[in-house]
Amino acid sequence: EAGVVQSPRYKIIEKKQPVAFWCNPISGHNTLYWYRQNLGQGPELLIRYENEEAVDDSQLPKDRFSAERLKGVDSTLKIQPAELGDSAVYLCASSWGPNRGGDYGYTFGSGTRLTVV
Amino acid sequence: GNSVTQMEGPVTLSEEAFLTINCTYTATGYPSLFWYVQYPGEGLQLLLKATKADDKGSNKGFEATYRKETTSFHLEKGSVQVSDSAVYFCALMDSSYKLIFGSGTRLLVRP
């Protein structure tokens, strides 16, 4: 079984430029999460999807961040415009559902390391 | 609010030494508890979990016991290997199914 696939692995952009990250979850996983991991810290949730619905986006900085999950499968996270403080690793994860995530944990992708210069 | 506190690293051990990484949590109710491991350049991998008090999670020689009375979930391994070098994250799942992570503890195992 393929894991959670993210692309790109690395991205370097100048501040004020837009950037997008893509995530393909494990087949059949209806819950998808985007986390941000700052250097030397644990990941923090940005947004959670149940199928195509964003059910928890309270931590997403909505002035510059947006996300979508069309058809309840792949997801894209966008930043526009990027700021220096957005440099971090952006992790995508998926699970069979919120309850199953509680029982079994999530499966994480390898992440996208963003550097804003 | 809910939070997880881990011992600061790095923890440096010689191969075959005993490992303990402390983790305590603050939460309402009885959350599920997890340990994740992150190898260099990779994403987080679930190492073990416990869903209720006194449960012991175990995997690959690692163990952790859910201690409600001390709100702790310390990670232990009897004999570490060089290949165990990684960053270890303790986490809890809150009532809204959000994973809340500690800041991570880097483990370095020397041959």
Side-chain angles (χ1 to χ4, degrees), chain A residues 59-74:
Chain A
Q59 302 301 311
L60 190 72
K62 298 181 183 63
D63 57 335
R64 297 184 300 107
F65 285 65
S66 64
E68 61 183 11
R69 190 184 184 198
L70 300 177
K71 301 182 180 178
V73 182
D74 294 3

Side-chain angles (χ1 to χ4, degrees), chain A residues 15-86:
Chain A
K15 62 182 180 181
K16 300 184 181 180
Q17 294 300 306
V19 64
F21 315 123
W22 176 80
C23 173
N24 181 238
I26 290 175
S27 178
H29 280 192
N30 60 336
T31 305
L32 184 145
Y33 315 80
W34 282 102
Y35 276 77
R36 177 169 61 188
Q37 184 177 16
N38 292 314
L39 186 64
Q41 298 182 21
E44 295 181 331
L45 180 69
L46 291 174
I47 190 168
R48 172 166 69 95
Y49 281 93
E50 298 297 335
N51 298 305
E52 65 274 11
E53 181 182 0
V55 296
D56 183 356
D57 62 356
S58 57
Q59 302 301 311
L60 190 72
K62 298 181 183 63
D63 57 335
R64 297 184 300 107
F65 285 65
S66 64
E68 61 183 11
R69 190 184 184 198
L70 300 177
K71 301 182 180 178
V73 182
D74 294 3
S75 177
T76 303
L77 178 68
K78 298 178 182 178
I79 309 175
Q80 182 171 10
E83 297 179 352
L84 295 177
D86 296 331

Side-chain angles (χ1 to χ4, degrees), chain B:
Chain B
N2 299 328
S3 65
V4 175
T5 302
Q6 290 181 237
M7 63 188 291
E8 290 192 16
V11 173
T12 303
L13 296 172
S14 297
E15 205 164 25
E16 300 184 0
F18 184 86
L19 168 70
T20 300
I21 299 179
N22 291 336
C23 170
T24 57
Y25 67 90
T26 301
T28 53
Y30 303 106
S32 294
L33 302 174
F34 303 84
W35 276 101
Y36 279 83
V37 58
Q38 189 173 36
Y39 298 102
E42 299 184 15
L44 282 80
Q45 301 176 23
L46 178 63
L47 181 59
L48 54 85
K49 67 172 179 65
T51 57
K52 61 183 186 296
D54 300 325
D55 266 3
K56 177 185 284 187
S58 61
N59 186 26
K60 300 180 181 180
F62 291 89
E63 293 183 338
T65 300
Y66 190 144
R67 301 289 188 196
K68 182 179 65 174
E69 61 278 9
T70 55
T71 61
S72 64
F73 193 55
H74 304 322
L75 182 68
E76 296 181 336
K77 187 176 186 182
S79 176
V80 294
Q81 306 299 312
V82 172
S83 57
D84 293 327
S85 297
V87 181
Y88 292 81
F89 291 93
C90 184
L92 67 83
M93 182 164 285
D94 70 10
S95 57
S96 63
Y97 308 110
K98 179 170 66 180
L99 270 178
I100 297 172
F101 289 87
S103 56
T105 302
R106 182 176 299 277
L107 171 65
L108 301 173
V109 181
R110 298 179 299 193

